[in-house]
Amino acid sequence: MTQTAGAALEVMRSSFAFKTLLLSRVGSRPRVYAAPTASSLAGPDPVTNMTSTHLRADSNDSSVSVVIVSWNTRDLLRDCLYSVNQQTRLRHEIVVVDNASSDGSAEMVEREFPEVILLINRDNRGFAIANNQGIRATSGYYVLLLNPDTVILDGAIDKMVRWLDEHPGVGCAGCQILETETEIQRTCFSDPGPFNLLLMETALHRVLHDWPLFCRPAYGQWDRRTERDVDVVHGMFMLTSRLVIEQVGLLDEDFFVYSEEADWCRRIRKSGYRCAFTPVARVLHRDGGGNSTIQSTTRMFVQFQKSRLLYVQKYYGVAGRTAARFILFCSMFARWTLFGAMSCITRDVESRTRSRLGRATLRFLLSGAEPTS
C-alpha cells in the first residue's frame, strides 16, 4: 500500500465529522435482509418485491448505486466503503451482498455502515448471482459493480458518472486501475474466444507482445493512459445504467465467477452500445487484486477454466468448446508435468502449486470433478 493511499484511508477512518454525517442521514437500524434462496429467484424477490427481470426504482432514487459482493473481505470492504462515501459527492446508495462470510464482514457493515443496504446469503452463491441480487435492490439510474478490494481515489465515481453521461453511446465503462501509486494495472481485454485462449495458454501474447495479432488478448501495446473502446471492461469496476440493464438483462448466472463480465459486455455491444475505458478517473486495486478469491486458490483456478469453457460454448458452439477443451488439456498437462518435475528437483513451492493446479484442472476436464477448496 502506498503512503498516499494509506494516509487517505487513515483520514477516512478517523474523521468523526464524516461518521457523524453518515449516521445523521439514516435511522438507527441498518437495512439488512436475508437474501433470497436459489429457488425463489425465479419468482418475486423477497427483497425487492419484483420479479427477477425487473429492477427496483422508487421516488428516492439515487444518482448512482454501488453494488459490492463480498466474501471474507472484512477489512478490505471497510476501507472500500469508507472511500466510496468519502470520495463521492453525488447522491448515492451502496448495496453490499455478503456471500456467507465467516470473518464478520456482515456484522462489520451492520455496525459501522448503517446506511448500507446489506443482503446476506446463507451460502457462497458466486459473483454473478450475488451481483444480480444487489442490482435488483438498487434505485440509482447509474449502477456500478465494484470489488471490495478497491479504494476510490479523487472522486472517481463522480468523474465516471459525468463521463458516461457525456457519452450516451457507451453502455459500460471502466476507469484507470492502479496497483501502486505509479503502476497502472492492465485492465480490460478482448473477446476471450478460442484463438485468444490459444495465445494466452501458449504465452504467445507475452513473447510476441510487439506484434498486434499476438498481443490482442490483453491489448498488450496499450498503456491504459488513453481512452479507447474495448471488448470487455474488467468486473472490478463496471459502470453502466439502468436503461442498458433493462435492455440487455442481468448477469448470466451460469457463471459462478469469472467470464461473467465478458458475457455481459458482449451482450451490451450486441445491443448497439460501446464498452469503453477512460483514464479520467482512478481507483486503487489493493495489492493488485486477487484478495477476494485467493482464499480458495485451487477451486477458483478451476472455476476460471470452467467459466472460459462456458463462454466459448455460448458464443462459439460445440466446435469452439471442443477446440478450447483441447487447448486447455494440452496446457494443463504441460503445467502438471513440467512444474511437477521442476518441483521435485528444486523443491520450489510455487512450482508445486502450479503443478497441483494443472492436475486439478485435468481432473475437471476429464471427469467434471470440481475441487471444493
Side-chain angles (χ1 to χ4, degrees):
M1 177 61 60
T2 64
Q3 293 182 349
T4 299
L9 290 175
E10 189 61 33
V11 171
M12 294 174 199
R13 294 194 189 104
S14 62
S15 175
F16 175 81
F18 170 64
K19 294 179 181 179
T20 302
L21 175 62
L22 287 181
L23 292 174
S24 69
R25 287 169 45 195
V26 297
S28 59
R29 295 288 297 171
R31 292 183 283 178
V32 182
Y33 307 92
T37 61
S39 60
S40 69
L41 285 176
D45 189 326
V47 174
T48 64
N49 198 30
M50 293 186 178
T51 64
S52 61
T53 57
H54 290 79
L55 306 176
R56 172 179 163 240
D58 54 44
S59 58
N60 296 316
D61 290 353
S62 301
S63 297
V64 58
S65 300
V66 182
V67 178
I68 303 173
V69 174
S70 176
W71 178 51
N72 293 329
T73 59
R74 181 190 59 201
D75 295 335
L76 294 168
L77 176 62
R78 176 188 291 112
D79 290 341
C80 178
L81 293 173
Y82 273 129
S83 73
V84 171
N85 281 320
Q86 180 76 0
Q87 293 292 327
T88 307
R89 296 292 176 263
L90 288 173
R91 189 156 46 112
H92 65 281
E93 65 180 357
I94 305 173
V95 179
V96 170
V97 184
D98 184 80
N99 262 336
S101 295
S102 58
D103 67 345
S105 293
E107 292 79 5
M108 181 276 295
V109 174
E110 289 185 62
R111 182 176 62 254
E112 300 181 30
F113 300 92
E115 80 286 359
V116 168
I117 301 172
L118 175 62
L119 310 182
I120 303 175
N121 283 327
R122 300 181 183 90
D123 56 358
N124 187 348
R125 306 189 58 200
F127 188 77
I129 290 179
N131 266 301
N132 286 347
Q133 291 174 272
I135 293 171
R136 293 190 190 101
T138 62
S139 65
Y141 177 74
Y142 289 107
V143 177
L144 171 65
L145 304 189
L146 184 67
N147 272 18
D149 56 355
T150 57
V151 174
I152 302 301
L153 304 175
D154 306 325
I157 295 177
D158 291 355
K159 292 177 180 178
M160 287 301 296
V161 167
R162 189 180 308 115
W163 186 89
L164 194 57
D165 197 43
E166 295 170 352
H167 295 78
V170 175
C172 181
C175 69
Q176 192 177 82
I177 306 296
L178 302 180
E179 291 188 15
T180 67
E181 190 173 272
T182 58
E183 186 175 1
I184 300 173
Q185 190 168 347
R186 290 186 172 272
T187 57
C188 302
F189 52 95
S190 62
D191 185 78
F195 181 65
N196 280 343
L197 178 64
L198 175 64
L199 295 178
M200 296 286 285
E201 291 304 307
T202 56
L204 286 174
H205 71 298
R206 294 180 180 176
V207 176
L208 302 176
H209 57 83
D210 291 330
W211 295 41
L213 177 64
F214 294 100
C215 73
R216 53 184 281 181
Y219 301 123
Q221 295 181 320
W222 172 42
D223 63 4
R224 275 65 175 178
R225 298 179 186 275
T226 57
E227 291 183 4
R228 66 167 291 172
D229 287 359
V230 297
D231 287 345
V232 184
V233 173
H234 253 98
M236 73 186 77
F237 187 106
M238 298 181 75
L239 181 65
T240 186
S241 70
R242 184 171 301 276
L243 175 64
V244 172
I245 298 175
E246 290 284 8
Q247 291 182 21
V248 306
L250 298 171
L251 295 168
D252 186 339
E253 297 182 357
D254 286 340
F255 297 96
F256 179 79
V257 64
Y258 303 119
S259 296
E260 65 288 309
E261 77 265 53
D263 172 77
W264 212 27
C265 286
R266 182 160 182 148
R267 286 189 281 134
I268 289 172
R269 289 186 286 110
K270 186 178 179 180
S271 297
Y273 292 98
R274 296 154 47 211
C275 293
F277 169 94
T278 176
V280 300
R282 303 180 306 154
V283 170
L284 177 67
H285 202 195
R286 300 281 293 275
D287 300 321
N291 292 285
S292 56
T293 56
I294 198 170
Q295 308 158 76
S296 187
T297 303
T298 304
R299 182 189 182 196
M300 292 305 165
F301 184 82
V302 173
Q303 284 293 335
F304 176 50
Q305 315 310 327
K306 178 181 178 181
S307 294
R308 296 165 93 183
L309 291 175
L310 285 173
Y311 181 87
V312 170
Q313 178 173 308
K314 182 172 182 178
Y315 293 107
Y316 294 89
V318 175
R321 180 180 173 87
T322 301
R325 286 181 66 88
F326 178 74
I327 293 168
L328 283 179
F329 182 87
C330 294
S331 172
M332 296 304 153
F333 183 80
R335 176 187 290 263
W336 173 43
T337 55
L338 294 178
F339 284 109
M342 189 181 300
S343 68
C344 291
I345 298 172
T346 64
R347 304 296 180 182
D348 180 56
V349 175
E350 183 177 354
S351 296
R352 189 181 306 117
T353 299
R354 292 186 177 187
S355 178
R356 185 185 73 246
L357 296 176
R359 184 176 67 250
T361 306
L362 285 174
R363 186 181 300 115
F364 164 73
L365 291 172
L366 293 172
S367 67
E370 300 180 30
T372 57
S373 62

